[in-house]
Amino acid sequence: MNSVIEEITKKYEPVIGLEVHAQLKTNTKLFCSCKNEFGGEPNANTCPICLGLPGVLPVLNKTALDYAIKASLALNCTVNPKSKFDRKQYFYPDLPKGYQISQYDQPLASNGFVDLPDGSKVRINRLHMEEDAGKLVHAGAERLHGSAYSLVDLNRAGTPLTEIVTEPDIRTAEQARLYVQELRLILIYCGVCDGNLEEGSMRCDVNISLRPQGTEKFGTRAEIKNVNSFRSIQRAIEYEIERQAEILDEGGEVVQETRLWEENRGCTITMRTKEEANDYRYFPEPDLLPINISSEKIQNIQEELPLLPSKKREIYSQEYKLNEEESFIFVEDLERGSYFDECIKLSNNPKKVAAWVNGPVAAYLKEQRLSYFDTKLSPERLSEVLKLIDDGIVSDSSAKKDLIPDIFTSDLSPIELCDKKGLKQITDESAISGEVEAIVNQFPDQFSELKSGKDKMKSFFVGQAMKRFKGKASPALINKILDKLITK
Ligand code: ADP
Ligand code: MG
Ligand code: ZN
């Protein structure tokens, strides 16, 4: 939190609620069989239904419904056994029907919550399904204002969205960002949204008001649209906190309105006065049946839910004893996380596996621009390497240093590679004990010191032996032999 915001929040408490539109990654659109894909030749993925031609009938995409139910359950919502679609009327050139099919008074799901990594909880008010509108391309300018003319691309018209609305539980810009990051991860884990913010797969509207610290009643809010990156969520909220605080400090009143985040200028501007639900003339969509969801269906989808990020974090830290940084990266980086999960099935030392995956493996892959499952170092092979280290056949440091890059590229097994590169430690006791005895005889004074209990002398002898074996002897073994000689 910057110092200006910190100063303001001594006086006013920000109250924030988010509405996030997340695009469902189905193959086809919500009510027709057109392809649901980003990019592509403008207006190529269209048909009479998503073009809004008269007389056509929408048919609900079952996968979109299943995905929305899955998201609802992952967000701890109650999936309502009965819900329905409604028409939301408004005019804009990217909406050929003149209305959007959405859900109004009977949403798919309600009353959920998300636990954030900072320990806070954000309640979800509702999750509903709706179709997206098309896209306007303003020629020669970023927005309508200042452009000579605009083009309409209806590829996105009719693609499936869920809108996820929080209760006004959020209090800081950081918490808002954390919420959207967690929501994104949950949707990605469920496989229902690709979470690609740059392509608009998730879009965020921020509702924000201030109230004097210590009071209950919410202030008048502004709704900020077009906030489409984690960074701009934080910046837009901070800007709005400053703007509203200034108005309140001067004894003015915040106007309830919809504002637009201007990414380039780093400010919000008035877009329109806030519309009321009445303005949309919502009514039930007569061309679609109400949605009835059986408890079996909910049960089945519940059982399909993957381990969610918060649960994974818990396992990583409590069961595997990974530190915060390690578990953060395995939860955030899905590929690295699933590679680690595979490795862990073959090992009983999660800390060691984590150190390998995040250390030499991550460094090599980054340098070579490869991904985790792209090299010859499969989870099985990494577990063989770890076993060689455990058995004292190769030292951890020598494996980390000298087996690379061959371990990622060679067809030889880890043990064959150790052989070839001369990395094997001497683990045969009889091969070492003669030499250790010779060293002991060479330094009789030091040895009697050791014998009389001066433990520090031990490292002297281990050092001597390592020198003689050029570092290839296992220190544990040398220690063992020394112990035998002392008690002889
Ligand atoms: P609308 O449908 O007009 O956008 P909703 O009542 O559905 O309004 O609320 C939208 C979002 O605004 C929700 O996330 C809600 O938590 C949030 N919200 C409602 N009142 C306030 C307020 N006074 N200050 C900040 N956020 C608010
Ligand atoms: Mg709204
Ligand atoms: Zn279509």
PDB file of all heavy atoms in Angstrom, residues 161-180:
ATOM      1  N   LEU A 161     -20.214 -17.050 -21.133  1.00  0.00           N
ATOM      2  CA  LEU A 161     -19.558 -16.408 -19.995  1.00  0.00           C
ATOM      3  C   LEU A 161     -20.218 -16.866 -18.707  1.00  0.00           C
ATOM      4  O   LEU A 161     -21.388 -17.230 -18.698  1.00  0.00           O
ATOM      5  CB  LEU A 161     -19.735 -14.886 -20.057  1.00  0.00           C
ATOM      6  CG  LEU A 161     -19.239 -14.104 -21.256  1.00  0.00           C
ATOM      7  CD1 LEU A 161     -19.622 -12.628 -21.093  1.00  0.00           C
ATOM      8  CD2 LEU A 161     -17.729 -14.240 -21.378  1.00  0.00           C
ATOM      9  N   THR A 162     -19.425 -16.836 -17.628  1.00  0.00           N
ATOM     10  CA  THR A 162     -20.072 -16.825 -16.317  1.00  0.00           C
ATOM     11  C   THR A 162     -19.743 -15.476 -15.711  1.00  0.00           C
ATOM     12  O   THR A 162     -18.649 -14.954 -15.900  1.00  0.00           O
ATOM     13  CB  THR A 162     -19.513 -17.893 -15.351  1.00  0.00           C
ATOM     14  OG1 THR A 162     -18.117 -17.704 -15.227  1.00  0.00           O
ATOM     15  CG2 THR A 162     -19.818 -19.285 -15.810  1.00  0.00           C
ATOM     16  N   GLU A 163     -20.710 -14.923 -15.016  1.00  0.00           N
ATOM     17  CA  GLU A 163     -20.432 -13.699 -14.271  1.00  0.00           C
ATOM     18  C   GLU A 163     -20.422 -14.072 -12.792  1.00  0.00           C
ATOM     19  O   GLU A 163     -21.366 -14.686 -12.287  1.00  0.00           O
ATOM     20  CB  GLU A 163     -21.476 -12.618 -14.541  1.00  0.00           C
ATOM     21  CG  GLU A 163     -21.172 -11.370 -13.725  1.00  0.00           C
ATOM     22  CD  GLU A 163     -22.036 -10.156 -14.063  1.00  0.00           C
ATOM     23  OE1 GLU A 163     -22.596 -10.096 -15.167  1.00  0.00           O
ATOM     24  OE2 GLU A 163     -22.142  -9.273 -13.197  1.00  0.00           O
ATOM     25  N   ILE A 164     -19.340 -13.713 -12.124  1.00  0.00           N
ATOM     26  CA  ILE A 164     -19.157 -14.094 -10.725  1.00  0.00           C
ATOM     27  C   ILE A 164     -19.123 -12.817  -9.898  1.00  0.00           C
ATOM     28  O   ILE A 164     -18.244 -11.974 -10.090  1.00  0.00           O
ATOM     29  CB  ILE A 164     -17.858 -14.913 -10.569  1.00  0.00           C
ATOM     30  CG1 ILE A 164     -17.965 -16.182 -11.432  1.00  0.00           C
ATOM     31  CG2 ILE A 164     -17.613 -15.272  -9.109  1.00  0.00           C
ATOM     32  CD1 ILE A 164     -16.634 -16.774 -11.803  1.00  0.00           C
ATOM     33  N   VAL A 165     -20.099 -12.652  -9.016  1.00  0.00           N
ATOM     34  CA  VAL A 165     -20.271 -11.394  -8.281  1.00  0.00           C
ATOM     35  C   VAL A 165     -19.963 -11.612  -6.803  1.00  0.00           C
ATOM     36  O   VAL A 165     -20.534 -12.506  -6.175  1.00  0.00           O
ATOM     37  CB  VAL A 165     -21.722 -10.876  -8.427  1.00  0.00           C
ATOM     38  CG1 VAL A 165     -21.879  -9.522  -7.732  1.00  0.00           C
ATOM     39  CG2 VAL A 165     -22.124 -10.786  -9.891  1.00  0.00           C
ATOM     40  N   THR A 166     -19.063 -10.801  -6.258  1.00  0.00           N
ATOM     41  CA  THR A 166     -18.749 -10.952  -4.826  1.00  0.00           C
ATOM     42  C   THR A 166     -19.675 -10.080  -3.979  1.00  0.00           C
ATOM     43  O   THR A 166     -20.278  -9.134  -4.474  1.00  0.00           O
ATOM     44  CB  THR A 166     -17.305 -10.510  -4.494  1.00  0.00           C
ATOM     45  OG1 THR A 166     -17.246  -9.080  -4.521  1.00  0.00           O
ATOM     46  CG2 THR A 166     -16.294 -11.096  -5.445  1.00  0.00           C
ATOM     47  N   GLU A 167     -19.742 -10.384  -2.713  1.00  0.00           N
ATOM     48  CA  GLU A 167     -20.317  -9.455  -1.741  1.00  0.00           C
ATOM     49  C   GLU A 167     -19.295  -8.330  -1.574  1.00  0.00           C
ATOM     50  O   GLU A 167     -18.118  -8.513  -1.884  1.00  0.00           O
ATOM     51  CB  GLU A 167     -20.537 -10.176  -0.395  1.00  0.00           C
ATOM     52  CG  GLU A 167     -21.571 -11.294  -0.429  1.00  0.00           C
ATOM     53  CD  GLU A 167     -22.988 -10.780  -0.658  1.00  0.00           C
ATOM     54  OE1 GLU A 167     -23.228  -9.557  -0.531  1.00  0.00           O
ATOM     55  OE2 GLU A 167     -23.860 -11.611  -0.973  1.00  0.00           O
ATOM     56  N   PRO A 168     -19.728  -7.167  -1.052  1.00  0.00           N
ATOM     57  CA  PRO A 168     -18.764  -6.066  -0.869  1.00  0.00           C
ATOM     58  C   PRO A 168     -17.841  -6.307   0.325  1.00  0.00           C
ATOM     59  O   PRO A 168     -17.840  -5.567   1.292  1.00  0.00           O
ATOM     60  CB  PRO A 168     -19.666  -4.841  -0.653  1.00  0.00           C
ATOM     61  CG  PRO A 168     -20.976  -5.371  -0.237  1.00  0.00           C
ATOM     62  CD  PRO A 168     -21.100  -6.772  -0.715  1.00  0.00           C
ATOM     63  N   ASP A 169     -17.052  -7.375   0.240  1.00  0.00           N
ATOM     64  CA  ASP A 169     -16.220  -7.829   1.365  1.00  0.00           C
ATOM     65  C   ASP A 169     -14.772  -7.366   1.280  1.00  0.00           C
ATOM     66  O   ASP A 169     -13.999  -7.555   2.217  1.00  0.00           O
ATOM     67  CB  ASP A 169     -16.187  -9.374   1.397  1.00  0.00           C
ATOM     68  CG  ASP A 169     -17.484  -9.954   1.922  1.00  0.00           C
ATOM     69  OD1 ASP A 169     -18.325  -9.172   2.425  1.00  0.00           O
ATOM     70  OD2 ASP A 169     -17.654 -11.190   1.833  1.00  0.00           O
ATOM     71  N   ILE A 170     -14.378  -6.847   0.126  1.00  0.00           N
ATOM     72  CA  ILE A 170     -12.962  -6.546  -0.104  1.00  0.00           C
ATOM     73  C   ILE A 170     -12.647  -5.148   0.424  1.00  0.00           C
ATOM     74  O   ILE A 170     -13.456  -4.240   0.303  1.00  0.00           O
ATOM     75  CB  ILE A 170     -12.649  -6.684  -1.608  1.00  0.00           C
ATOM     76  CG1 ILE A 170     -12.914  -8.137  -2.039  1.00  0.00           C
ATOM     77  CG2 ILE A 170     -11.223  -6.261  -1.934  1.00  0.00           C
ATOM     78  CD1 ILE A 170     -12.943  -8.350  -3.528  1.00  0.00           C
ATOM     79  N   ARG A 171     -11.478  -5.009   1.037  1.00  0.00           N
ATOM     80  CA  ARG A 171     -11.148  -3.738   1.703  1.00  0.00           C
ATOM     81  C   ARG A 171      -9.912  -3.032   1.156  1.00  0.00           C
ATOM     82  O   ARG A 171      -9.665  -1.877   1.455  1.00  0.00           O
ATOM     83  CB  ARG A 171     -10.959  -3.979   3.214  1.00  0.00           C
ATOM     84  CG  ARG A 171     -12.238  -4.444   3.931  1.00  0.00           C
ATOM     85  CD  ARG A 171     -13.267  -3.312   4.027  1.00  0.00           C
ATOM     86  NE  ARG A 171     -14.547  -3.783   4.567  1.00  0.00           N
ATOM     87  CZ  ARG A 171     -15.569  -4.204   3.818  1.00  0.00           C
ATOM     88  NH1 ARG A 171     -15.491  -4.195   2.491  1.00  0.00           N
ATOM     89  NH2 ARG A 171     -16.675  -4.626   4.374  1.00  0.00           N
ATOM     90  N   THR A 172      -9.083  -3.742   0.427  1.00  0.00           N
ATOM     91  CA  THR A 172      -7.878  -3.093  -0.110  1.00  0.00           C
ATOM     92  C   THR A 172      -7.660  -3.493  -1.575  1.00  0.00           C
ATOM     93  O   THR A 172      -8.193  -4.498  -2.039  1.00  0.00           O
ATOM     94  CB  THR A 172      -6.599  -3.505   0.659  1.00  0.00           C
ATOM     95  OG1 THR A 172      -6.383  -4.904   0.449  1.00  0.00           O
ATOM     96  CG2 THR A 172      -6.708  -3.234   2.148  1.00  0.00           C
ATOM     97  N   ALA A 173      -6.844  -2.682  -2.244  1.00  0.00           N
ATOM     98  CA  ALA A 173      -6.506  -2.971  -3.635  1.00  0.00           C
ATOM     99  C   ALA A 173      -5.755  -4.299  -3.741  1.00  0.00           C
ATOM    100  O   ALA A 173      -5.978  -5.091  -4.661  1.00  0.00           O
ATOM    101  CB  ALA A 173      -5.668  -1.836  -4.216  1.00  0.00           C
ATOM    102  N   GLU A 174      -4.884  -4.552  -2.767  1.00  0.00           N
ATOM    103  CA  GLU A 174      -4.106  -5.803  -2.786  1.00  0.00           C
ATOM    104  C   GLU A 174      -5.025  -7.012  -2.648  1.00  0.00           C
ATOM    105  O   GLU A 174      -4.843  -8.021  -3.321  1.00  0.00           O
ATOM    106  CB  GLU A 174      -3.084  -5.839  -1.638  1.00  0.00           C
ATOM    107  CG  GLU A 174      -1.948  -4.851  -1.745  1.00  0.00           C
ATOM    108  CD  GLU A 174      -2.328  -3.443  -1.314  1.00  0.00           C
ATOM    109  OE1 GLU A 174      -3.438  -3.252  -0.753  1.00  0.00           O
ATOM    110  OE2 GLU A 174      -1.531  -2.522  -1.548  1.00  0.00           O
ATOM    111  N   GLN A 175      -6.021  -6.885  -1.770  1.00  0.00           N
ATOM    112  CA  GLN A 175      -6.940  -8.003  -1.566  1.00  0.00           C
ATOM    113  C   GLN A 175      -7.764  -8.256  -2.841  1.00  0.00           C
ATOM    114  O   GLN A 175      -8.038  -9.408  -3.185  1.00  0.00           O
ATOM    115  CB  GLN A 175      -7.861  -7.702  -0.378  1.00  0.00           C
ATOM    116  CG  GLN A 175      -8.558  -8.935   0.174  1.00  0.00           C
ATOM    117  CD  GLN A 175      -9.681  -8.579   1.142  1.00  0.00           C
ATOM    118  OE1 GLN A 175      -9.962  -7.396   1.387  1.00  0.00           O
ATOM    119  NE2 GLN A 175     -10.324  -9.599   1.691  1.00  0.00           N
ATOM    120  N   ALA A 176      -8.123  -7.177  -3.540  1.00  0.00           N
ATOM    121  CA  ALA A 176      -8.884  -7.327  -4.787  1.00  0.00           C
ATOM    122  C   ALA A 176      -8.051  -8.085  -5.820  1.00  0.00           C
ATOM    123  O   ALA A 176      -8.542  -8.996  -6.495  1.00  0.00           O
ATOM    124  CB  ALA A 176      -9.275  -5.955  -5.328  1.00  0.00           C
ATOM    125  N   ARG A 177      -6.781  -7.714  -5.903  1.00  0.00           N
ATOM    126  CA  ARG A 177      -5.902  -8.397  -6.850  1.00  0.00           C
ATOM    127  C   ARG A 177      -5.731  -9.870  -6.468  1.00  0.00           C
ATOM    128  O   ARG A 177      -5.827 -10.768  -7.294  1.00  0.00           O
ATOM    129  CB  ARG A 177      -4.538  -7.697  -6.901  1.00  0.00           C
ATOM    130  CG  ARG A 177      -3.562  -8.314  -7.886  1.00  0.00           C
ATOM    131  CD  ARG A 177      -2.239  -7.555  -7.964  1.00  0.00           C
ATOM    132  NE  ARG A 177      -1.736  -7.149  -6.668  1.00  0.00           N
ATOM    133  CZ  ARG A 177      -1.108  -7.952  -5.817  1.00  0.00           C
ATOM    134  NH1 ARG A 177      -0.891  -9.212  -6.142  1.00  0.00           N
ATOM    135  NH2 ARG A 177      -0.699  -7.509  -4.655  1.00  0.00           N
ATOM    136  N   LEU A 178      -5.546 -10.094  -5.187  1.00  0.00           N
ATOM    137  CA  LEU A 178      -5.385 -11.460  -4.694  1.00  0.00           C
ATOM    138  C   LEU A 178      -6.618 -12.316  -5.001  1.00  0.00           C
ATOM    139  O   LEU A 178      -6.521 -13.479  -5.400  1.00  0.00           O
ATOM    140  CB  LEU A 178      -5.168 -11.406  -3.178  1.00  0.00           C
ATOM    141  CG  LEU A 178      -4.280 -12.437  -2.528  1.00  0.00           C
ATOM    142  CD1 LEU A 178      -2.919 -12.452  -3.174  1.00  0.00           C
ATOM    143  CD2 LEU A 178      -4.140 -12.131  -1.026  1.00  0.00           C
ATOM    144  N   TYR A 179      -7.784 -11.704  -4.843  1.00  0.00           N
ATOM    145  CA  TYR A 179      -9.034 -12.418  -5.124  1.00  0.00           C
ATOM    146  C   TYR A 179      -9.099 -12.821  -6.596  1.00  0.00           C
ATOM    147  O   TYR A 179      -9.392 -13.971  -6.921  1.00  0.00           O
ATOM    148  CB  TYR A 179     -10.252 -11.558  -4.746  1.00  0.00           C
ATOM    149  CG  TYR A 179     -11.528 -12.058  -5.384  1.00  0.00           C
ATOM    150  CD1 TYR A 179     -12.194 -13.185  -4.878  1.00  0.00           C
ATOM    151  CD2 TYR A 179     -12.057 -11.443  -6.519  1.00  0.00           C
ATOM    152  CE1 TYR A 179     -13.340 -13.671  -5.494  1.00  0.00           C
ATOM    153  CE2 TYR A 179     -13.198 -11.913  -7.138  1.00  0.00           C
ATOM    154  CZ  TYR A 179     -13.842 -13.027  -6.622  1.00  0.00           C
ATOM    155  OH  TYR A 179     -14.966 -13.521  -7.236  1.00  0.00           O
ATOM    156  N   VAL A 180      -8.800 -11.869  -7.486  1.00  0.00           N
ATOM    157  CA  VAL A 180      -8.904 -12.187  -8.914  1.00  0.00           C
ATOM    158  C   VAL A 180      -7.858 -13.238  -9.306  1.00  0.00           C
ATOM    159  O   VAL A 180      -8.131 -14.138 -10.095  1.00  0.00           O
ATOM    160  CB  VAL A 180      -8.790 -10.917  -9.795  1.00  0.00           C
ATOM    161  CG1 VAL A 180      -8.886 -11.276 -11.269  1.00  0.00           C
ATOM    162  CG2 VAL A 180      -9.880  -9.930  -9.437  1.00  0.00           C
TER     163      VAL A 180
END
